[in-house]
Amino acid sequence: MNPKIDELNWKILKQLQRNARESFANIGRAIGLTAPAVAERVKKMEDLGIIMGYKATVSHALTGHQLKAIITLRAFMGKLKPFLAIVGNLEEVINCYRITGNENIVMEVVLKDQFHLEKFIDQLIQYGETRTHIVLSQVISNAPMHKIK
């Protein structure tokens, strides 16, 4: 176990993963520390890179992105590096992973509709063979990390 993540730090992380905007005073009350002690521990975990940032979770459906899909890409010979160079500029991509196996890439994308999906796939096919899986519903989302037992 990482010595910088003791039991109290795990309790703080659990609270922050539930609500990153929770006050240090409320976190402290929940775990038995003062607000300044919580603040110090959070700052230390930020400095160590354990806490990498805070973000807003946005509803894709309410922003006009009615379609979510998982797309895998099996890159053509010599096309993986060019793809990796441009994928960060593809606004539809909200997560992208380089993976092992037959495919090289897995992307989570959000799109307006099936016509947007078609145009997006047309952009991708110059880099490799794609497979698209339409997301019907989200079963688990951003589940909090827990201490490994």
Side-chain angles (χ1 to χ4, degrees), residues 37-49:
V38 171
E40 182 180 330
R41 284 173 170 267
V42 168
K43 175 74 172 118
K44 205 173 276 187
M45 287 190 283
E46 289 171 345
D47 291 345
L48 290 169

Side-chain angles (χ1 to χ4, degrees), residues 78-141:
K79 292 292 186 172
L80 181 59
K81 285 189 180 186
F83 174 79
L84 293 173
I86 63 101
V87 70
N89 298 322
L90 300 175
E91 293 178 355
E92 296 86 352
V93 179
I94 57 173
N95 287 299
C96 181
Y97 306 96
R98 188 169 174 188
I99 61 168
T100 61
N102 288 331
E103 286 90 8
N104 307 95
I105 299 291
V106 173
M107 292 171 280
E108 182 179 359
V109 300
V110 291
L111 308 126
K112 290 180 270 188
D113 52 31
Q114 72 271 21
F115 304 109
H116 188 181
L117 172 62
E118 182 179 21
K119 287 179 187 173
F120 183 71
I121 290 172
D122 287 346
Q123 284 181 281
L124 297 179
I125 58 176
Q126 65 182 303
Y127 297 101
E129 178 185 322
T130 65
R131 288 189 188 187
T132 302
H133 308 273
I134 302 299
V135 175
L136 299 176
S137 64
Q138 199 160 24
V139 179
I140 296 174
S141 175

Side-chain angles (χ1 to χ4, degrees), residues 12-36:
I12 291 169
L13 288 172
K14 184 176 180 181
Q15 296 289 324
L16 288 173
Q17 287 178 100
R18 281 191 192 139
N19 179 5
R21 297 184 68 181
E22 189 67 70
S23 72
F24 293 152
N26 285 344
I27 293 171
R29 276 192 287 282
I31 67 169
L33 287 178
T34 65

